[in-house]
Amino acid sequence: MVVEDETKLAELLGSYLARDGFDVAVVHDGLEAVATARAVDPDVVVLDLGLPGLDGVEVCRQLRTFSDAYVVMLTARSEEVDTLIGLSVGADDYMTKPFSPRVLMARVQAMMRRPRQPDEADALEGARTFGALVIDPLGRDVWLDGELLSLTRTEFDLLAALAERPRMAFSRRQLIDAVWGPTWVGDEHLVDVHIGHLRRKLDDDATHARFIRTVRGVGYRMGTGQ
């Protein structure tokens, strides 16, 4: 689903997506975006930040109450605060205008290639446990103290990447390669934003982290849960 009030840009993005084999819905304001998302249940939403009706931040906030679609936020403003505001309500990625539609298509295709189910080798490993935290790669579920957590697809992918090699300290670039893909270009602090979301949902303290530990000068690694 493309949500963009600039009609020509919306049509251009829709045509690129259709050419890549996607079924595309194009809408031009925030209220229509929420209603259409409920009706068509999109896999990916390309969402402009500045929209009439409801802005992109509010649309994304409402989407996250009923949809786990990947969300790519588009913004005409390059200030970091705009990016962080968008990601704080559950956007998976962002692009600053002007941008190449081909680059956007590459990012969407990379998202769609993320495995929704693990391969057989992962399935045989079963759930991974870190103290009170249980990560099930087969069902893509995460439990904390026996309660099922509500994670976005990107949050799950990021946590699963850390959990797959729990003794490894990952740099931001390594996590981007694992989750967003090696062709992704942008501000690597995107990783920090999503780590912050995960820590809040895991009730994890960055200073005395049980589950996601900061490795100074490197990046992040999985904690033991203790």
Side-chain angles (χ1 to χ4, degrees), residues 2-4 7-19 24 26 46 74 99-102 104-105:
V2 176
V3 189
E4 169 60 66
T7 304
K8 290 185 178 179
L9 177 58
E11 291 176 352
L12 177 64
L13 297 179
S15 68
Y16 268 84
L17 285 161
R19 190 183 310 164
V24 184
V26 178
V46 179
L74 306 179
F99 58 87
S100 164
R102 292 185 182 276
L104 175 62
M105 296 307 106

Side-chain angles (χ1 to χ4, degrees), residues 1-221:
M1 183 172 75
V2 176
V3 189
E4 169 60 66
D5 62 333
E6 295 180 40
T7 304
K8 290 185 178 179
L9 177 58
E11 291 176 352
L12 177 64
L13 297 179
S15 68
Y16 268 84
L17 285 161
R19 190 183 310 164
D20 276 7
F22 289 93
D23 293 325
V24 184
V26 178
V27 297
H28 303 293
D29 69 72
L31 290 170
E32 185 184 6
V34 175
T36 302
R38 290 186 182 277
V40 304
D41 188 22
D43 290 310
V44 178
V45 178
V46 179
L47 178 62
D48 187 36
L49 182 61
L51 292 169
L54 300 175
D55 66 17
V57 170
E58 182 58 29
V59 170
C60 191
R61 182 179 289 113
Q62 293 194 26
L63 283 177
R64 283 293 173 245
T65 66
F66 64 86
S67 172
D68 66 349
Y70 291 121
V71 176
V72 183
M73 191 79 79
L74 306 179
T75 174
R77 290 164 284 180
S78 59
E79 291 89 342
E80 185 178 29
V81 66
D82 291 328
T83 300
L84 297 181
I85 287 172
L87 291 169
S88 71
V89 293
D92 298 282
D93 201 349
Y94 73 96
M95 296 194 71
T96 303
K97 297 177 182 178
F99 58 87
S100 164
R102 292 185 182 276
V103 174
L104 175 62
M105 296 307 106
R107 291 197 183 181
V108 170
Q109 291 286 11
M111 286 178 171
M112 296 306 296
R113 285 195 298 268
R114 295 186 197 173
R116 303 230 183 143
Q117 298 291 344
D119 59 25
E120 292 184 7
D122 283 338
L124 291 173
E125 291 182 17
R128 301 183 176 100
T129 302
F130 303 87
L133 180 68
V134 179
I135 303 167
D136 175 15
L138 181 60
R140 292 180 64 86
D141 288 327
V142 177
W143 290 271
L144 179 61
D145 293 320
E147 294 188 8
L148 185 64
L149 298 183
S150 176
L151 303 184
T152 68
R153 294 180 188 177
T154 293
E155 287 165 358
F156 179 89
D157 291 338
L158 187 55
L159 183 61
L162 290 166
E164 186 175 3
R165 303 182 69 182
R167 297 179 60 189
M168 178 174 174
F170 288 84
S171 67
R172 292 187 185 96
R173 185 67 245 180
Q174 287 171 318
L175 288 170
I176 284 172
D177 289 350
V179 177
W180 287 269
T183 61
W184 190 92
V185 177
D187 186 347
E188 293 183 2
H189 286 86
L190 171 78
V191 173
D192 302 337
V193 176
H194 286 287
I195 290 290
H197 295 173
L198 274 171
R199 281 176 166 160
R200 284 193 294 274
K201 292 183 178 182
L202 296 172
D203 194 23
D204 208 16
D205 187 313
T207 305
H208 305 288
R210 294 181 295 161
F211 305 120
I212 301 177
R213 295 182 175 175
T214 299
V215 181
R216 289 187 180 276
V218 180
Y220 301 98
R221 60 163 291 182

